[in-house]
Amino acid sequence: MKNLIVADLKVLGHRLWTIPGGVFILVVIISLFPQVNMPETVRYFIISLLAPSLLMYELLREEQKRNSDELIFAMPTDKKIYLRAKYVLLILFGLMSLPAGWLADIISQIIVNKGI
């Protein structure tokens, strides 16, 4: 299962950081508009839900494009292990996005309080 997770991370490559970074920047920019009254819990929810789901979508899209899922199923690997690896990866992406939510909240509070 560890090898499947490492292979998935290699498939994502640089998108592993650009997708959550884009979601982070989007949430910070949206929260800077004075018309949008976005509480911090909504920021956390958007980042912790949108970033992992976009990463998993990108991973599944790349696997379908490269037909690597067919290669994995041709190996002596059980489908349950494959699905467990995907669920563990989704949980890992979700845990990685929580600090990004806290950081977005801190940055938006700093910018709003200084009146930039």
Side-chain angles (χ1 to χ4, degrees), residues 27-39 43 103-116:
V27 169
V28 169
I29 289 174
I30 288 174
S31 64
L32 292 180
F33 289 114
Q35 297 87 2
V36 178
N37 189 9
M38 186 184 301
R43 277 187 228 130
L103 189 62
D105 185 46
I106 291 170
I107 288 175
S108 62
Q109 284 180 1
I110 290 172
I111 292 174
V112 168
N113 289 340
K114 291 194 177 193
I116 295 177

Side-chain angles (χ1 to χ4, degrees), residues 35-46:
Q35 297 87 2
V36 178
N37 189 9
M38 186 184 301
E40 60 190 38
T41 55
V42 174
R43 277 187 228 130
Y44 296 153
F45 180 73
I46 289 173

Side-chain angles (χ1 to χ4, degrees), residues 29-96:
I29 289 174
I30 288 174
S31 64
L32 292 180
F33 289 114
Q35 297 87 2
V36 178
N37 189 9
M38 186 184 301
E40 60 190 38
T41 55
V42 174
R43 277 187 228 130
Y44 296 153
F45 180 73
I46 289 173
I47 290 176
S48 64
L49 183 70
L50 193 60
S53 60
L54 285 176
L55 281 170
M56 283 306 289
Y57 170 77
E58 186 68 24
L59 177 65
L60 294 174
R61 187 184 70 81
E62 277 296 317
E63 282 186 353
Q64 185 180 18
K65 187 169 93 175
R66 296 180 183 187
N67 290 333
S68 62
D69 53 347
E70 293 176 8
L71 288 173
I72 290 172
F73 289 137
M75 291 197 239
T77 304
D78 192 17
K79 289 183 183 182
K80 292 179 183 179
I81 295 174
Y82 178 77
L83 287 176
R84 281 187 203 142
K86 295 296 178 194
Y87 282 123
V88 167
L89 200 58
L90 183 61
I91 291 169
L92 183 69
F93 289 156
L95 290 175
M96 287 175 15

